[in-house]
Amino acid sequence: MFGFSLRPRKAASANTAKERLQILLAHERSGAAARPDCLPQLQREILDVIRRHMQIGDEAIDIRMERGDELSSLEINIEFPGKLGVN
Amino acid sequence: MSKDLTLEEPMGRVIVVTSGKGGVGKTTTSAAVGAELARRGHKTVVIDFDVGLRNLDMIMGCERRVVFDFINVIQGDAKLKQALIRDRRLENLAVLPTSQTRDKDALTKEGVEKVLEELRKEFDYIICDSPAGIERGAQMAMHFADEAIVVTNPEVSSVRDSDRVLGLLNSITERAGKTGAEPVKAQVLITRHDKARVDSGEMMTVEDVLEVLAVPLLGIIPESKAVLRASNLGVPVVLDDPSAAAAAYEDAVGRLIGEQIEMRIAADPRRGLLQRLFRRAV
């Protein structure tokens, strides 16, 4: 009646925008984003360490990241050929 | 049924979204066109060419998942498949984000060409989201294009800049330099079109803009609240709730892939008095 409704209004999209920016900018202002070469370097070092023990190709590594406001996760997948090629 | 054995592999089409002027809706358009192509079943990747001012990731809502970027791939620090971010809503859609920390000099012609060649093999459509301006980043975004979507607002500076960009498409691109090659197929997409203001004579009409630019029209995107909402949420406008802007982008993509769709000028519905009084969402 009179256009009122008891169900809560859809959360305003502006709040979502602000939250997304806060999470992203917190990351970009921190050291993590200031060193752009950190991840390629991390990848090279991980490959080097593994190669001391096993034979793997350059494409065998896959790094994924998910940033959150409380917690971020880094997922590193390394594919080995059919049998573990231990030196 | 056996497949035809042809010498040439199927190759994806490279489409640059460009404008010269900033703030006219290039990234909104890149995200919407990419998402709509993917929804229609075409394998599509959208590339951010705005090195140093990464924004496509925010508009597509994948900003928290960027690990490697376009520049890492060009410089050999990461493989292309590591830098591609697969969309979680549409399996045919991927984003290639750019670097937030480098500058445009990191874009080399050879590097861009190599990445595009690799993408052409995997994707049906490669959408290049150009930065504003006509400097290196914009030139790299358009250089290898087969087609161009020139995003234009019905406003004097935007139309003037579009004309300049159309000139560059016909002079500095790979297709322009190759004798016998078809020129880049350029089409204008008019965005932020406000029907009420056109009707009252405050805004140039679509015909006015086309008369000045003299290129085919891909579509007319109405000024719509849905665009800011989609940007707030990190959702391409065609994947959010139905809106006049989303419908106009769907039509434009239909025309882009060769469908005959009648041009229509849409607008968001006006709110009634009661709705305005009680500020209910339409």
Side-chain angles (χ1 to χ4, degrees):
Chain A
M1 45 176 186
F2 302 114
F4 285 114
S5 161
L6 287 176
R7 77 190 148 85
R9 284 171 61 196
K10 224 176 190 176
S13 65
N15 288 335
T16 311
K18 188 181 173 195
E19 285 166 19
R20 291 173 63 215
L21 280 168
Q22 283 172 331
I23 293 169
L24 184 69
L25 297 184
H27 166 78
E28 289 190 346
R29 288 169 183 158
S30 76
R35 298 199 327 273
D37 294 327
C38 145
L39 281 166
Q41 195 187 336
L42 175 71
Q43 175 176 300
R44 277 194 299 273
E45 289 174 7
I46 290 172
L47 278 174
D48 285 347
V49 170
I50 293 171
R51 283 209 185 101
R52 278 183 221 154
H53 307 281
M54 297 163 185
Q55 291 168 353
I56 53 167
D58 278 348
E59 303 211 18
I61 190 165
D62 186 35
I63 299 185
R64 301 272 149 194
M65 181 143 58
E66 180 79 52
R67 276 188 277 277
D69 43 357
E70 301 270 304
L71 193 76
S72 298
S73 68
L74 191 66
E75 182 189 323
I76 301 174
N77 285 307
I78 297 162
E79 281 174 29
F80 297 105
K83 211 167 66 173
L84 286 186
V86 181
N87 280 337
Chain B
M1 243 171 62
S2 66
K3 268 187 176 176
D4 282 342
L5 281 176
T6 48
L7 287 173
E8 284 180 41
E9 290 181 61
M11 292 290 256
R13 284 188 79 70
V14 176
I15 303 176
V16 61
V17 177
T18 184
S19 69
K21 191 175 184 300
V24 297
K26 283 181 297 297
T27 303
T28 297
T29 297
S30 298
V33 168
E36 180 60 20
L37 284 166
R39 188 160 65 174
R40 287 165 176 251
H42 303 288
K43 292 198 76 182
T44 306
V45 58
V46 190
I47 311 178
D48 191 346
F49 273 79
D50 202 348
V51 185
L53 289 172
R54 172 160 93 203
N55 271 322
L56 178 68
D57 56 333
M58 287 225 85
I59 299 301
M60 301 282 285
C62 63
E63 73 275 6
R64 295 193 204 185
R65 296 165 61 207
V66 177
V67 183
F68 295 117
D69 58 52
F70 192 17
I71 304 301
N72 291 140
V73 178
I74 287 178
Q75 299 187 339
D77 290 325
K79 302 285 174 209
L80 182 56
K81 80 170 187 35
Q82 295 180 312
L84 285 174
I85 302 175
R86 303 279 164 183
D87 191 273
R88 290 198 169 138
R89 299 157 293 218
L90 293 169
E91 59 170 347
N92 286 321
L93 185 60
V95 176
L96 183 55
T98 193
S99 167
Q100 177 70 350
T101 47
R102 312 295 182 86
D103 62 40
K104 305 234 175 344
D105 293 337
L107 286 175
T108 61
K109 198 180 280 183
E110 296 71 28
V112 172
E113 182 172 27
K114 198 160 156 269
V115 172
L116 290 178
E117 283 311 304
E118 211 173 330
L119 289 171
R120 276 181 198 268
K121 289 177 197 153
E122 192 191 337
F123 292 93
D124 302 321
Y125 291 97
I126 298 125
I127 309 294
C128 300
D129 183 24
S130 173
I134 51 169
E135 305 302 322
R136 186 176 188 83
Q139 293 185 10
M140 285 299 124
M142 71 169 65
H143 193 88
F144 297 100
D146 301 308
E147 294 186 37
I149 299 174
V150 179
V151 182
T152 309
N153 293 166
E155 179 276 327
V156 289
S157 61
S158 174
V159 175
R160 181 197 197 181
D161 290 0
S162 292
D163 187 63
R164 183 94 162 83
V165 161
L166 286 164
L168 291 175
L169 287 166
N170 279 321
S171 59
I172 63 160
T173 56
E174 188 82 352
R175 280 179 176 273
K178 214 182 268 175
T179 42
E182 288 269 312
V184 176
K185 183 182 176 192
Q187 299 183 85
V188 170
L189 183 73
I190 294 179
T191 56
R192 308 204 69 163
H193 181 275
D194 188 331
K195 188 174 182 302
R197 302 188 78 183
V198 171
D199 289 347
S200 66
E202 291 172 62
M203 182 179 268
M204 280 187 284
T205 66
V206 171
E207 292 74 22
D208 292 338
V209 175
L210 293 180
E211 197 182 315
V212 175
L213 293 178
V215 280
L217 177 65
L218 181 65
I220 306 158
I221 313 297
E223 176 75 48
S224 169
K225 290 185 174 175
V227 173
L228 178 58
R229 184 188 132 84
S231 155
N232 283 343
L233 298 176
V235 176
V237 71
V238 294
L239 301 184
D240 197 18
D241 298 343
S243 64
Y249 273 116
E250 287 161 18
D251 282 0
V253 168
R255 292 183 200 107
L256 188 71
I257 59 177
E259 291 173 9
Q260 297 294 322
I261 298 171
E262 201 184 333
M263 206 57 74
R264 50 180 174 162
I265 296 179
D268 275 342
R270 304 218 133 210
R271 287 173 177 216
L273 178 64
L274 260 185
Q275 285 169 322
R276 266 183 285 163
L277 274 177
F278 295 108
R279 309 189 69 190
R280 295 214 18 214
V282 178

